[in-house]
Amino acid sequence: MADSLTCPQPPAGGTPTVLVIGGGASGNAVTILLRRAGIAVDLIEAQPDWNATTGSGITLQGNALRVLRELGVWEQVSASGFAFGSLGVAAPDGTILFVAEDLQTGGDDLPATLGMQRPRLQQILIDAVRASGADVRLGTTVDTLEQDADGVSVRFSDGAQGRYDLVIAADGLNSATRAAVGITDRPEPTGMAIWRIAAPRPEGMDRTDLAYGGPAYIAGYCPTSENTIYAYVVEASRDRASIDPATYADEMRRLAQAYGGFWPEITKHIDNPAKVNYTWFHRHLVEGPWHRGRVVLVGDAAHCCPPTFAQGAAMSLEDASVLAELLTTRSDWDDRLFTDYHARRLPRVRMVVDASVQLGQWLLDGVRDADVPGLVGRTMNALKERP
């Protein structure tokens, strides 16, 4: 398999063809942007429901909102979510110790932070992909990829075949495409895990508050609409096989009931194990090239970080924006294009991954004099710059 292939734009009258594997944030975003430029895009997604019904909530900071505005969905996102501009730090009993103003990393004309229900964000992006005219096939995966000097031949799980100028691997943390093209980097657990649930919004909750200490490392919540929130509790990771999913609500409630403030009201709604999600934190960063020939990685396939900075979706959306910019402004889809994409993204992503992991490691190690404000300030100020 060649590592450097030239893929010039086709002659007048022709249209470049792209396959996007995975319909999460980065896959949906790059599809919308490429279709806007007139590029033919097929998008396949393994889940038959396109992940439109799963997940509790998501915290989006300004640099993520900037890309969502670029996609043309900001008005729907703004109307569906809950915007705020500060972060509270609390004691376990709910006493607010201090409130910090959030930096507006997307610019002064966008909120610093917006929480929203994850399924609602996914549906907004799905609608935009559908409206773009992309060819979408759900419940479909790739069986084989074969590259040559002129393109990529793909055989799909449903027996269909396709031929493409480029394949974009947006198939997530455990990307099968990444492995198929010989990129051997794999995600590694950091030692932490998170319990999450969606719940009604208590009256008066208008920002994220984080409580440190108690039986968990962090207990936090984020308003996601006028009526909803998502709440989360972070602890040391446990063997997932040893936790019966039927006990998920009991496990999360046991941790949550130790916290004051809004938590007693939230805890009343932790009663259905099917609505509680338990996930390990992972660190993942492909340091080497993010492409092999005509196959290129975006989003979690290339990198993933703990949600301690709430920047996972933002980094994935920025990948899509930068890659689409390069693909739609250059005449040659060659090795230099993908090398430039990697060079623009890697330092910024590495900064976020390392900082996110460091915040968690300080908690795991019980470091009490860690320079958390300094690390947060440096990182967030850097994210104000455009990717």
Side-chain angles (χ1 to χ4, degrees):
M1 182 180 298
D3 284 343
S4 178
L5 299 170
T6 298
C7 179
Q9 297 281 9
T15 302
T17 57
V18 174
L19 172 66
V20 175
I21 304 173
S26 59
N28 290 336
V30 77
T31 296
I32 294 163
L33 294 171
L34 294 181
R35 285 296 302 135
R36 184 181 299 167
I39 295 170
V41 182
D42 290 353
L43 183 148
I44 63 167
E45 164 56 44
Q47 297 301 317
D49 70 349
W50 205 340
N51 294 304
T53 61
T54 56
S56 51
I58 186 168
T59 302
L60 300 165
Q61 292 171 328
N63 54 316
L65 303 179
R66 183 166 54 202
V67 180
L68 292 169
R69 183 172 60 187
E70 180 186 357
L71 298 177
V73 300
W74 167 238
E75 288 188 6
Q76 299 98 301
V77 168
S78 178
S80 299
F82 190 102
F84 54 97
S86 60
L87 171 73
V89 174
D93 66 2
T95 302
I96 300 299
L97 303 176
F98 66 88
V99 176
E101 294 300 309
D102 288 336
L103 285 173
Q104 292 174 269
T105 55
D108 293 342
D109 56 345
L110 287 169
T113 310
L114 181 138
M116 68 184 303
Q117 298 171 76
R118 188 178 287 269
R120 178 59 186 143
L121 175 61
Q122 177 69 351
Q123 190 59 57
I124 289 170
L125 294 175
I126 286 171
D127 292 345
V129 170
R130 294 286 194 194
S132 77
D135 185 353
V136 176
R137 302 210 308 279
L138 304 178
T140 305
T141 58
V142 167
D143 277 352
T144 61
L145 292 166
E146 294 184 1
Q147 299 198 55
D148 57 37
D150 299 314
V152 187
S153 296
V154 182
R155 182 183 297 276
F156 298 97
S157 58
D158 59 6
Q161 299 182 54
R163 178 78 174 170
Y164 300 93
D165 294 309
L166 177 68
V167 173
I168 299 175
D171 50 344
L173 185 63
N174 297 306
S175 170
T177 314
R178 182 181 66 224
V181 298
I183 298 175
T184 58
D185 304 77
R186 296 290 183 270
E188 298 178 353
T190 68
M192 281 185 161
I194 187 168
W195 299 90
R196 295 184 177 98
I197 192 169
R201 185 172 76 92
E203 184 177 354
M205 182 191 292
D206 57 6
R207 64 169 185 252
T208 287
D209 290 327
L210 301 176
Y212 292 91
Y217 290 112
I218 306 171
Y221 43 73
C222 176
T224 53
S225 74
E226 289 297 326
N227 303 311
T228 61
I229 67 165
Y230 80 100
Y232 47 91
V233 182
V234 177
E235 64 169 0
S237 56
R238 298 187 245 167
D239 179 4
R240 284 172 288 193
S242 68
I243 309 173
D244 182 351
T247 69
Y248 273 15
D250 295 337
E251 292 289 335
M252 183 176 183
R253 190 170 55 250
R254 176 181 61 80
L255 294 167
Q257 66 189 6
Y259 295 92
F262 289 115
W263 277 99
E265 187 171 348
I266 295 170
T267 304
K268 291 189 298 185
H269 300 283
I270 307 175
D271 57 2
N272 183 346
K275 295 183 178 180
V276 176
N277 174 262
Y278 178 73
T279 309
W280 282 9
F281 286 178
H282 287 87
R283 183 195 190 278
H284 173 52
L285 179 61
V286 178
E287 291 276 1
W290 290 1
H291 75 289
R292 294 292 186 273
R294 298 171 182 271
V295 179
V296 61
L297 309 180
V298 295
D300 286 356
H303 51 79
C304 181
C305 57
T308 44
F309 265 94
Q311 277 287 317
M315 291 298 99
S316 293
L317 289 167
E318 286 186 358
D319 283 357
S321 176
V322 171
L323 180 60
E325 174 199 323
L326 294 172
L327 291 173
T328 57
T329 58
R330 295 200 182 176
S331 58
D332 289 334
W333 292 4
D334 56 11
D335 189 67
R336 180 178 176 182
L337 184 154
F338 300 115
T339 299
D340 288 349
Y341 161 63
H342 179 259
R344 278 179 62 176
R345 295 302 298 145
L346 183 64
R348 187 173 174 100
V349 170
R350 184 194 291 119
M351 173 188 68
V352 169
V353 170
D354 288 349
S356 300
V357 172
Q358 182 64 77
L359 286 180
Q361 193 61 51
W362 280 333
L363 290 171
L364 286 167
D365 293 342
V367 178
R368 297 190 176 278
D369 59 351
D371 184 20
V372 173
L375 179 62
V376 171
R378 290 190 299 273
T379 304
M380 301 308 290
N381 271 296
L383 290 174
K384 292 174 69 175
E385 299 297 322
R386 286 186 172 270

mmCIF file of all heavy atoms in Angstrom, residues 251-267:
data_model
loop_
_atom_site.group_PDB
_atom_site.id
_atom_site.type_symbol
_atom_site.label_atom_id
_atom_site.label_comp_id
_atom_site.label_asym_id
_atom_site.label_seq_id
_atom_site.Cartn_x
_atom_site.Cartn_y
_atom_site.Cartn_z
ATOM 1 N N GLU A 251 -25.343 2.039 41.671
ATOM 2 C CA GLU A 251 -23.941 2.423 41.824
ATOM 3 C C GLU A 251 -23.779 3.934 41.721
ATOM 4 O O GLU A 251 -23.076 4.558 42.523
ATOM 5 C CB GLU A 251 -23.086 1.714 40.766
ATOM 6 C CG GLU A 251 -22.984 0.222 40.941
ATOM 7 C CD GLU A 251 -22.131 -0.152 42.144
ATOM 8 O OE1 GLU A 251 -21.272 0.649 42.551
ATOM 9 O OE2 GLU A 251 -22.322 -1.257 42.693
ATOM 10 N N MET A 252 -24.404 4.539 40.712
ATOM 11 C CA MET A 252 -24.271 5.988 40.559
ATOM 12 C C MET A 252 -24.952 6.726 41.707
ATOM 13 O O MET A 252 -24.416 7.709 42.246
ATOM 14 C CB MET A 252 -24.843 6.449 39.221
ATOM 15 C CG MET A 252 -24.645 7.935 38.993
ATOM 16 S SD MET A 252 -25.188 8.518 37.367
ATOM 17 C CE MET A 252 -24.693 10.261 37.484
ATOM 18 N N ARG A 253 -26.113 6.239 42.130
ATOM 19 C CA ARG A 253 -26.838 6.893 43.217
ATOM 20 C C ARG A 253 -26.043 6.821 44.518
ATOM 21 O O ARG A 253 -26.019 7.780 45.305
ATOM 22 C CB ARG A 253 -28.216 6.246 43.384
ATOM 23 C CG ARG A 253 -29.141 7.014 44.344
ATOM 24 C CD ARG A 253 -30.568 6.476 44.284
ATOM 25 N NE ARG A 253 -30.627 5.055 44.548
ATOM 26 C CZ ARG A 253 -30.925 4.128 43.620
ATOM 27 N NH1 ARG A 253 -31.217 4.491 42.377
ATOM 28 N NH2 ARG A 253 -30.958 2.844 43.937
ATOM 29 N N ARG A 254 -25.367 5.710 44.745
ATOM 30 C CA ARG A 254 -24.564 5.559 45.967
ATOM 31 C C ARG A 254 -23.493 6.638 46.045
ATOM 32 O O ARG A 254 -23.240 7.208 47.118
ATOM 33 C CB ARG A 254 -23.907 4.174 45.976
ATOM 34 C CG ARG A 254 -22.977 3.927 47.156
ATOM 35 C CD ARG A 254 -22.353 2.550 47.088
ATOM 36 N NE ARG A 254 -21.550 2.365 45.886
ATOM 37 C CZ ARG A 254 -20.306 2.828 45.746
ATOM 38 N NH1 ARG A 254 -19.741 3.519 46.726
ATOM 39 N NH2 ARG A 254 -19.639 2.587 44.637
ATOM 40 N N LEU A 255 -22.863 6.943 44.911
ATOM 41 C CA LEU A 255 -21.844 7.984 44.888
ATOM 42 C C LEU A 255 -22.471 9.369 44.974
ATOM 43 O O LEU A 255 -22.016 10.237 45.724
ATOM 44 C CB LEU A 255 -21.020 7.869 43.601
ATOM 45 C CG LEU A 255 -20.154 6.618 43.453
ATOM 46 C CD1 LEU A 255 -19.663 6.485 42.016
ATOM 47 C CD2 LEU A 255 -18.973 6.667 44.416
ATOM 48 N N ALA A 256 -23.551 9.587 44.209
ATOM 49 C CA ALA A 256 -24.144 10.922 44.099
ATOM 50 C C ALA A 256 -24.788 11.400 45.384
ATOM 51 O O ALA A 256 -24.812 12.608 45.676
ATOM 52 C CB ALA A 256 -25.168 10.931 42.965
ATOM 53 N N GLN A 257 -25.312 10.467 46.188
ATOM 54 C CA GLN A 257 -26.070 10.889 47.364
ATOM 55 C C GLN A 257 -25.185 11.489 48.463
ATOM 56 O O GLN A 257 -25.688 12.054 49.435
ATOM 57 C CB GLN A 257 -26.866 9.716 47.923
ATOM 58 C CG GLN A 257 -26.024 8.589 48.485
ATOM 59 C CD GLN A 257 -26.871 7.364 48.830
ATOM 60 O OE1 GLN A 257 -28.064 7.336 48.537
ATOM 61 N NE2 GLN A 257 -26.249 6.361 49.446
ATOM 62 N N ALA A 258 -23.878 11.429 48.263
ATOM 63 C CA ALA A 258 -22.971 12.027 49.241
ATOM 64 C C ALA A 258 -22.777 13.523 49.013
ATOM 65 O O ALA A 258 -22.110 14.184 49.824
ATOM 66 C CB ALA A 258 -21.609 11.334 49.174
ATOM 67 N N TYR A 259 -23.374 14.073 47.946
ATOM 68 C CA TYR A 259 -23.132 15.472 47.595
ATOM 69 C C TYR A 259 -24.360 16.330 47.865
ATOM 70 O O TYR A 259 -25.500 15.873 47.782
ATOM 71 C CB TYR A 259 -22.705 15.569 46.124
ATOM 72 C CG TYR A 259 -21.369 14.891 45.904
ATOM 73 C CD1 TYR A 259 -21.306 13.546 45.529
ATOM 74 C CD2 TYR A 259 -20.177 15.574 46.128
ATOM 75 C CE1 TYR A 259 -20.085 12.912 45.368
ATOM 76 C CE2 TYR A 259 -18.955 14.944 45.977
ATOM 77 C CZ TYR A 259 -18.909 13.613 45.598
ATOM 78 O OH TYR A 259 -17.703 12.986 45.456
ATOM 79 N N GLY A 260 -24.083 17.607 48.209
ATOM 80 C CA GLY A 260 -25.157 18.541 48.536
ATOM 81 C C GLY A 260 -25.462 19.487 47.405
ATOM 82 O O GLY A 260 -25.156 19.221 46.241
ATOM 83 N N GLY A 261 -26.079 20.618 47.724
ATOM 84 C CA GLY A 261 -26.468 21.570 46.693
ATOM 85 C C GLY A 261 -27.631 21.031 45.877
ATOM 86 O O GLY A 261 -28.666 20.639 46.421
ATOM 87 N N PHE A 262 -27.481 20.986 44.567
ATOM 88 C CA PHE A 262 -28.521 20.465 43.690
ATOM 89 C C PHE A 262 -28.575 18.939 43.663
ATOM 90 O O PHE A 262 -29.516 18.350 43.127
ATOM 91 C CB PHE A 262 -28.311 20.964 42.255
ATOM 92 C CG PHE A 262 -28.598 22.433 42.065
ATOM 93 C CD1 PHE A 262 -27.575 23.309 41.726
ATOM 94 C CD2 PHE A 262 -29.878 22.930 42.223
ATOM 95 C CE1 PHE A 262 -27.829 24.661 41.545
ATOM 96 C CE2 PHE A 262 -30.144 24.281 42.040
ATOM 97 C CZ PHE A 262 -29.117 25.146 41.696
ATOM 98 N N TRP A 263 -27.562 18.292 44.237
ATOM 99 C CA TRP A 263 -27.462 16.843 44.080
ATOM 100 C C TRP A 263 -28.607 16.034 44.684
ATOM 101 O O TRP A 263 -29.025 15.036 44.097
ATOM 102 C CB TRP A 263 -26.117 16.340 44.599
ATOM 103 C CG TRP A 263 -25.055 16.498 43.542
ATOM 104 C CD1 TRP A 263 -24.132 17.493 43.445
ATOM 105 C CD2 TRP A 263 -24.857 15.652 42.409
ATOM 106 N NE1 TRP A 263 -23.365 17.318 42.318
ATOM 107 C CE2 TRP A 263 -23.779 16.201 41.672
ATOM 108 C CE3 TRP A 263 -25.469 14.499 41.947
ATOM 109 C CZ2 TRP A 263 -23.312 15.612 40.494
ATOM 110 C CZ3 TRP A 263 -25.004 13.910 40.782
ATOM 111 C CH2 TRP A 263 -23.946 14.470 40.064
ATOM 112 N N PRO A 264 -29.166 16.384 45.831
ATOM 113 C CA PRO A 264 -30.297 15.588 46.323
ATOM 114 C C PRO A 264 -31.461 15.532 45.338
ATOM 115 O O PRO A 264 -32.101 14.481 45.184
ATOM 116 C CB PRO A 264 -30.684 16.316 47.622
ATOM 117 C CG PRO A 264 -29.406 16.915 48.102
ATOM 118 C CD PRO A 264 -28.707 17.361 46.852
ATOM 119 N N GLU A 265 -31.721 16.657 44.658
ATOM 120 C CA GLU A 265 -32.799 16.646 43.665
ATOM 121 C C GLU A 265 -32.412 15.809 42.449
ATOM 122 O O GLU A 265 -33.233 15.071 41.904
ATOM 123 C CB GLU A 265 -33.139 18.076 43.245
ATOM 124 C CG GLU A 265 -34.358 18.149 42.338
ATOM 125 C CD GLU A 265 -34.819 19.574 42.117
ATOM 126 O OE1 GLU A 265 -34.353 20.494 42.819
ATOM 127 O OE2 GLU A 265 -35.668 19.763 41.228
ATOM 128 N N ILE A 266 -31.147 15.917 42.019
ATOM 129 C CA ILE A 266 -30.688 15.109 40.884
ATOM 130 C C ILE A 266 -30.767 13.631 41.224
ATOM 131 O O ILE A 266 -31.221 12.801 40.417
ATOM 132 C CB ILE A 266 -29.241 15.497 40.515
ATOM 133 C CG1 ILE A 266 -29.178 16.934 40.022
ATOM 134 C CG2 ILE A 266 -28.685 14.535 39.465
ATOM 135 C CD1 ILE A 266 -27.758 17.476 39.872
ATOM 136 N N THR A 267 -30.330 13.284 42.435
ATOM 137 C CA THR A 267 -30.241 11.882 42.829
ATOM 138 C C THR A 267 -31.594 11.184 42.789
ATOM 139 O O THR A 267 -31.676 9.973 42.508
ATOM 140 C CB THR A 267 -29.602 11.772 44.230
ATOM 141 O OG1 THR A 267 -28.331 12.415 44.215
ATOM 142 C CG2 THR A 267 -29.417 10.320 44.640
#
